[in-house]
Amino acid sequence: MKNPASEEPDERLTVTKPKEWAAGVPAVTHALEYSLDQTSVSRVGTTLLSINQVNGIDCPGCAWADPSPGHRQLNEYCENGAKHINDEATSRRITSDFFRRYSVSDLNQRSDLWLNQQGRLTEPMVKRPDSDHYEPISWPDALGLLAGELKGLDSPDEAAFYTSGRVSNEAAFLLQLFARAFGTNNLPDCSNLCHESSGFALAETLGTGKGTVSLEDIYHADLIFLVGQNPGTNHPRQLSALEEAKHNGARVIAVNPLPEAGLMRFKNPQKPRGIVGRGVQIADRFLQIRSGGDLALFQGMNRLLLEAEDVRPGAVLDHDFIRSNTSGFEEFSRHARTIAWEDILAATGLAREEIEQAADDVMRSERVIVCWAMGVTQHRHAVPTVREIVNFLLLRGNLSKPGAGACPVRGHSNVQGDRTMGVWERMPDSFLDGLRKEFGFEPPRAHGVDAVNAIRGMRDGRIKVFVGAAGNFVRATPDSEVTEDAMRRCSLTAHISTKLNRSHTVCGRTALILPALGRTERDIQVTGEQFVTVEDSMSEVHTTQGRLEPASRTLLSEVAIICRLARLTLDGEADIPWDQFEGDYGLIRDRISNVIPGFQHFNRRVVRPGGIRLPNPVNEGVFHTRTEKALFTCNAWQMSEAPEGHLVLQTLRSHDQWNTIPYTDNDRYRGIHGSRRVVLVNPQDLSRLALAEGQLVDLVSVWGDGLERRAEGFRTVPYPTALGCAAAYYPETNVLVPLDSVAEISNQPTFKGVVVRLEPAAEE
Ligand SMILES: Nc1nc2c(c(=O)[nH]1)N[C@H]1C(S)=C(S)[C@@H](COP(=O)(O)OP(=O)(O)OC[C@H]3O[C@@H](n4cnc5c(=O)[nH]c(N)nc54)[C@H](O)[C@@H]3O)O[C@H]1N2
Ligand SMILES: Nc1nc2c(c(=O)[nH]1)N[C@H]1C(S)=C(S)[C@@H](COP(=O)(O)OP(=O)(O)OC[C@H]3O[C@@H](n4cnc5c(=O)[nH]c(N)nc54)[C@H](O)[C@@H]3O)O[C@H]1N2
Ligand code: SF4
Ligand SMILES: [Mo]
């Protein structure tokens, strides 16, 4: 489909050579350009001076950690962080006039980029069942309408409450509390689409779903793997940390089908040599892996380590660590030796020497860290792949010691915190018991729906009310046509949002826009000015406090919206002081202290400079697994070959977008300008498929259910990607990802492994 309509491949498309380095002076220029286009010099000044500072605004971009308080620069942000913060701080406003002018159908014809560029939402709006326009509604009426709809459901499980990782700890804690007091665990979140596979694999093998490393560990590692992530675009300040690690002598191995600019070279705009020099080489070794080949790669390296130990007993493996901290080694060791090299080479597309050289690097290193992101988690074999990464770390005792460990690099700034706060459809009984003890109600125990099952539930009529706390559910999820139909079948959809997006234009019969304060804005309640807290990818919890005047006087904070909705819906059923929570967020934190381990004296500790680092038991050598030890696992896999004439498509981010929201049509580092409807293909594949450079094609995905999924009108761009692997941007290609194409065990959509054919399309 052409979704959203009017997004033709743009005649302005130009393609230049991909960049071989990231950041530098152009990054600063682009950040300022975008920021100043959104708002005034003084607001840009305010946001940029307080971003990521102690007592400042936590960057609303990614979850990369801040350096410790004494080590922060005055400009502790990256190009993209500046764009993200000023995208929120924009001076543009959407008022009720806007919705009078544009019907919902009109808006649905507009691109994602256009919708976002209209500015901040300023007042609550409702779309009634018989109307194609949003119209103003007061807060009490809007929340009363939603509460009435919730109370009228036959079962609480007919509602689902989605959370995106921008939401603060306080709001997330209240949202899950409300959903559970209402009676459902239907709490899908963006984590279901993001690091769910990591969570499952790490919890099973290490007993915690979180990463084990800190920034200090990165600085002091000998060897760092960057697997399936594009730090130059998605976690730019990771490059500063890698620069420091390299300065201290670390080597870096990048594993990726694409030679991403940030993996190759980094020019730190805050250092003189980054401005005038050639910058720092990041990857010492680049393994250009085939899509989905990472499990085979780590198995290959593990086999080499075991065999090297056979030759030099006692010199390769960390037997002390294995003996005292792990279980399942013997079985793993037998299994690892049965994996055939020809399968490993076919799956990875690498030469055996490349894998051997990487294994040699490993054997020369005392402290190894593996970082990974969506290139690992959004595949069918994602959970076994992360388990195999754990095997790899365990073999040489690269856990529970400084400079080593597992580093799943998280996406949204508070996605990890939202999980810690209980936003998960399957929280363990220990957490639910804690809620019961603290609040005196019996939380439901049956697991709720995740994102994929929420779509199935809406599609099949089991879920009728959808409430989204931040995010853009219809664009973030797979199978866009199926998902859009599912959303439209709801009796009511409501979104707590800062900016307009597709989830407001593809909506239920009744739809509500509940506009919220953003992180940049001052939040004043009856007891005074409030702050909220977030947790980064390295388990550091700290405060964030807005500085700007709110975009409109009508906005409510996320906390206030949830408290008022809960009060109206629950009619005092559970003994929860929603009014007091709304007035004083410290009272919410007191309750968090009582319910969630690691948060004792939360209010007192979190205001210290740098905040709290949550303990990770793995770093104390404690593993809460079924054997109370770290588990070695045996991970079988099937080769997934694309049929002849097909490619494996990965759907990824451009440099100039924040998830579902493009900021411009450019992707500077990859040399794409003026259009996002492009598909990057290896030149050899183009000629094998008899396609020309710049040819117009439709992408058609192949899945066993007989449905044709088609994304129309993409230009081919010859690109140095691994053979057999194509790449195109998300969310335009989500239409191609079948809802049932999910990772084993974690149920995470396989956004990086979509089998497609490229069909030549007629030029208009
Ligand atoms: N500017 C910006 N920053 C962001 C975001 C954003 O949209 N814009 N989003 C945030 C969020 S929520 C997230 S989750 C993170 C995402 O951060 P990333 O995971 O870096 O995001 P993607 O763009 O999905 O890129 C995936 C990378 O994996 C590689 N890859 C794809 N398939 C494979 C494979 O099979 N094996 C290997 N080894 N590599 C593979 C791709 O080539 C690409 O480099 O970024 C966060 N930061
Ligand atoms: N094909 C494909 N699909 C993917 C992915 C992929 O790699 N490929 N990646 C997946 C991943 S990793 C993720 S995390 C999801 C992202 O999915 P989401 O988190 O659902 O999407 P976002 O685009 O981050 O949501 C943007 C919207 O959030 C709202 N918002 C922003 N800030 C705030 C705030 O402070 N408060 C409130 N209330 N609202 C706010 C704005 O209205 C904005 O329009 O997408 C997933 N989908
Ligand atoms: S690296 Fe991430 S958190 Fe840091 S400034 Fe950039 S976008 Fe923000
Ligand atoms: Mo994400």
Side-chain angles (χ1 to χ4, degrees):
M1 73 173 176
K2 290 185 184 176
N3 187 4
S6 83
E7 271 193 6
E8 299 297 327
D10 206 299
E11 295 315 318
R12 289 171 308 163
L13 171 67
T14 55
V15 179
T16 55
K17 204 166 147 285
K19 286 261 178 302
E20 285 166 5
W21 49 269
V25 175
V28 179
T29 323
H30 283 273
L32 286 179
E33 247 170 39
Y34 188 79
S35 302
L36 291 172
D37 187 45
Q38 295 299 318
T39 186
S40 65
V41 176
S42 78
R43 284 168 71 90
V44 169
T46 308
T47 54
L48 295 188
L49 278 176
S50 67
I51 187 170
N52 293 333
Q53 298 300 331
V54 173
N55 300 327
I57 306 169
D58 179 66
C59 173
C62 75
W64 191 252
D66 300 321
S68 52
H71 293 88
R72 295 192 194 166
Q73 312 263 358
L74 186 57
N75 298 317
E76 195 56 59
Y77 58 87
C78 70
E79 168 193 355
N80 281 341
K83 291 192 290 197
H84 305 322
I85 200 166
N86 287 307
D87 188 70
E88 177 183 301
T90 180
S91 301
R92 301 178 195 169
R93 299 286 176 267
I94 294 182
T95 60
S96 50
D97 281 348
F98 172 90
F99 290 108
R100 255 195 300 279
R101 182 154 159 228
Y102 297 104
S103 68
V104 178
S105 316
D106 291 338
L107 293 174
N108 202 37
Q109 298 300 309
R110 301 291 179 155
S111 70
D112 300 298
L113 192 155
W114 187 92
L115 293 174
N116 179 59
Q117 289 299 324
Q118 302 316 301
R120 287 288 299 276
L121 295 160
T122 53
E123 54 182 310
M125 305 296 298
V126 61
K127 185 201 85 71
R128 311 238 179 228
D130 50 2
S131 167
D132 193 26
H133 279 267
Y134 275 101
E135 60 193 80
I137 183 172
S138 69
W139 276 111
D141 287 351
L143 296 174
L145 180 66
L146 176 50
E149 195 79 17
L150 287 170
K151 287 196 277 190
L153 293 173
D154 289 335
S155 148
D157 289 331
E158 289 181 348
F161 300 88
Y162 173 70
T163 309
S164 156
R166 278 261 179 120
V167 172
S168 66
N169 285 332
E170 288 75 2
F173 183 77
L174 292 187
L175 185 73
Q176 63 81 33
L177 179 63
F178 165 54
R180 292 187 165 116
F182 176 61
T184 184
N185 282 314
N186 284 348
L187 287 157
D189 65 353
C190 72
S191 231
N192 298 143
L193 311 167
C194 188
H195 266 291
E196 196 65 71
S197 304
S198 309
F200 269 89
L202 293 175
E204 180 191 353
T205 56
L206 299 180
T208 164
K210 296 183 184 181
T212 68
V213 307
S214 67
L215 271 183
E216 284 298 314
D217 290 321
I218 303 260
Y219 301 151
H220 297 111
D222 295 331
L223 180 64
I224 301 172
F225 280 83
L226 304 175
V227 190
Q229 63 155 151
N230 178 19
T233 285
N234 296 319
H235 304 92
R237 280 187 314 150
Q238 186 178 4
L239 296 181
S240 314
L242 292 170
E243 181 184 38
E244 178 147 354
K246 296 220 66 173
H247 181 76
N248 295 338
R251 285 173 68 75
V252 172
I253 299 183
V255 184
N256 202 304
L258 299 178
E260 306 281 24
L263 297 175
M264 300 305 151
R265 198 163 264 289
F266 171 50
K267 296 190 185 184
N268 189 338
Q270 293 173 341
K271 299 215 169 133
R273 65 172 181 268
I275 294 175
V276 291
R278 295 191 60 233
V280 180
Q281 182 189 342
I282 296 290
D284 299 281
R285 219 178 267 300
F286 172 50
L287 300 180
Q288 186 162 36
I289 198 160
R290 279 212 180 124
S291 170
D294 305 85
L295 173 53
L297 170 67
F298 280 91
Q299 288 190 326
M301 288 196 292
N302 287 343
R303 182 168 176 173
L304 289 169
L305 296 180
L306 290 165
E307 289 171 354
E309 172 74 18
D310 296 342
V311 179
R312 291 182 287 137
V316 179
L317 305 188
D318 186 339
H319 291 287
D320 284 348
F321 181 87
I322 294 174
R323 206 174 313 112
S324 26
N325 292 304
T326 72
S327 62
F329 172 72
E330 292 304 330
E331 208 185 334
F332 159 75
S333 164
R334 271 194 304 277
H335 176 259
R337 292 161 196 273
T338 63
I339 297 151
W341 271 105
E342 64 193 61
D343 290 344
I344 293 175
L345 301 185
T348 57
L350 298 170
R352 182 161 169 170
E353 302 76 71
E354 291 178 279
I355 303 178
E356 284 170 349
Q357 286 160 357
D360 284 344
D361 288 347
V362 176
M363 286 185 266
R364 275 197 294 272
S365 307
E366 290 301 310
R367 295 176 298 274
V368 179
I369 289 177
V370 183
C371 301
W372 72 89
M374 299 304 102
V376 168
T377 62
Q378 297 179 337
H379 278 293
R380 189 151 71 90
H381 294 314
V383 175
T385 304
V386 177
R387 284 191 198 136
E388 197 65 34
I389 292 174
V390 171
N391 289 337
F392 170 76
L393 293 169
L394 295 178
L395 279 177
R396 285 175 52 81
N398 278 309
L399 272 172
S400 317
K401 70 178 182 190
C407 183
V409 183
R410 305 274 162 183
H412 268 294
S413 53
N414 197 38
V415 60
Q416 186 160 316
D418 292 343
R419 272 292 161 93
T420 309
M421 291 299 121
V423 172
W424 194 26
E425 71 281 357
R426 42 172 75 221
M427 284 305 276
D429 280 337
S430 54
F431 178 88
L432 301 175
D433 291 343
L435 285 185
R436 181 185 55 195
K437 191 157 158 265
E438 182 66 21
F439 296 103
F441 71 93
E442 186 54 59
R445 300 280 163 163
H447 289 172
V449 292
D450 60 12
V452 165
N453 284 329
I455 297 166
R456 291 180 177 139
M458 293 188 281
R459 177 193 64 190
D460 301 340
R462 290 189 302 277
I463 293 177
K464 298 179 175 138
V465 176
F466 177 95
V467 181
N472 184 5
F473 189 78
V474 288
R475 286 306 259 169
T477 44
D479 231 345
S480 308
E481 288 191 29
V482 173
T483 300
E484 292 185 7
D485 285 346
M487 288 292 272
R488 289 195 168 105
R489 293 202 57 184
C490 288
S491 61
L492 188 151
T493 54
H495 288 92
I496 303 173
S497 313
T498 49
K499 307 276 300 267
L500 188 64
N501 65 41
R502 180 90 33 223
S503 299
H504 306 120
T505 69
V506 176
C507 52
R509 286 191 293 284
T510 302
L512 287 166
I513 296 177
L514 307 172
L517 288 176
R519 219 179 258 184
T520 51
E521 289 160 329
R522 297 177 69 192
D523 181 353
I524 298 173
Q525 303 295 342
V526 288
T527 61
E529 193 152 346
Q530 307 294 314
F531 65 82
V532 289
T533 61
V534 291
E535 175 183 342
D536 64 31
S537 207
M538 291 167 173
S539 305
E540 279 164 2
V541 182
H542 54 88
T543 64
T544 170
Q545 186 161 16
R547 293 294 161 88
L548 299 176
E549 286 310 310
S552 120
R553 283 221 284 265
T554 319
L555 299 182
L556 291 181
S557 73
E558 287 157 358
V559 165
I561 295 171
I562 296 163
C563 287
R564 292 181 191 193
L565 175 64
R567 219 169 42 218
L568 291 168
T569 310
L570 299 176
D571 290 328
E573 272 170 39
D575 184 19
I576 303 172
W578 299 106
D579 274 338
Q580 293 172 27
F581 286 162
E582 177 178 341
D584 180 356
Y585 300 179
L587 299 176
I588 309 171
R589 286 186 288 274
D590 284 341
R591 301 306 192 98
I592 292 173
S593 293
N594 296 344
V595 175
I596 303 178
F599 284 82
Q600 297 84 346
H601 309 295
F602 189 11
N603 274 309
R604 180 152 53 78
R605 286 160 66 217
V606 80
V607 292
R608 293 183 195 151
I612 305 173
R613 174 138 203 249
L614 296 175
N616 187 322
V618 172
N619 290 331
E620 266 78 67
V622 175
F623 302 93
H624 296 303
T625 64
R626 61 182 158 78
T627 61
E628 295 295 322
K629 305 241 178 194
L631 295 190
F632 276 102
T633 51
C634 301
N635 299 302
W637 44 274
Q638 293 154 353
M639 283 283 288
S640 45
E641 281 284 340
E644 184 48 37
H646 291 70
L647 298 171
V648 180
L649 177 79
Q650 61 151 321
T651 60
L652 81 183
R653 294 155 173 79
S654 80
H655 188 63
D656 234 357
Q657 75 184 76
W658 176 259
N659 293 330
T660 63
I661 311 293
Y663 292 157
T664 70
D665 283 332
N666 306 328
D667 190 1
R668 199 169 84 244
Y669 291 162
R670 299 199 183 100
I672 310 291
H673 311 271
S675 173
R676 292 171 49 86
R677 286 187 97 80
V678 291
V679 56
L680 314 183
V681 185
N682 185 296
Q684 285 184 47
D685 283 324
L686 277 184
S687 54
R688 188 170 56 85
L689 299 171
L691 293 170
E693 171 172 357
Q695 185 164 347
L696 194 65
V697 293
D698 290 350
L699 309 181
V700 183
S701 79
V702 180
W703 185 252
D705 59 4
L707 267 184
E708 181 181 88
R709 296 175 174 83
R710 179 180 292 266
E712 292 179 357
F714 284 68
R715 296 266 173 213
T716 61
V717 173
Y719 201 85
T721 172
L723 274 176
C725 311
Y729 299 124
Y730 133 70
E732 290 83 345
T733 45
N734 286 38
V735 62
L736 297 169
V737 188
L739 186 61
D740 292 337
S741 177
V742 290
E744 300 153 1
I745 303 166
S746 66
N747 213 31
Q748 178 170 349
T750 59
F751 292 124
K752 297 288 187 279
V754 191
V755 176
V756 293
R757 59 174 190 272
L758 275 48
E759 280 187 3
E763 295 280 349
E764 282 173 14

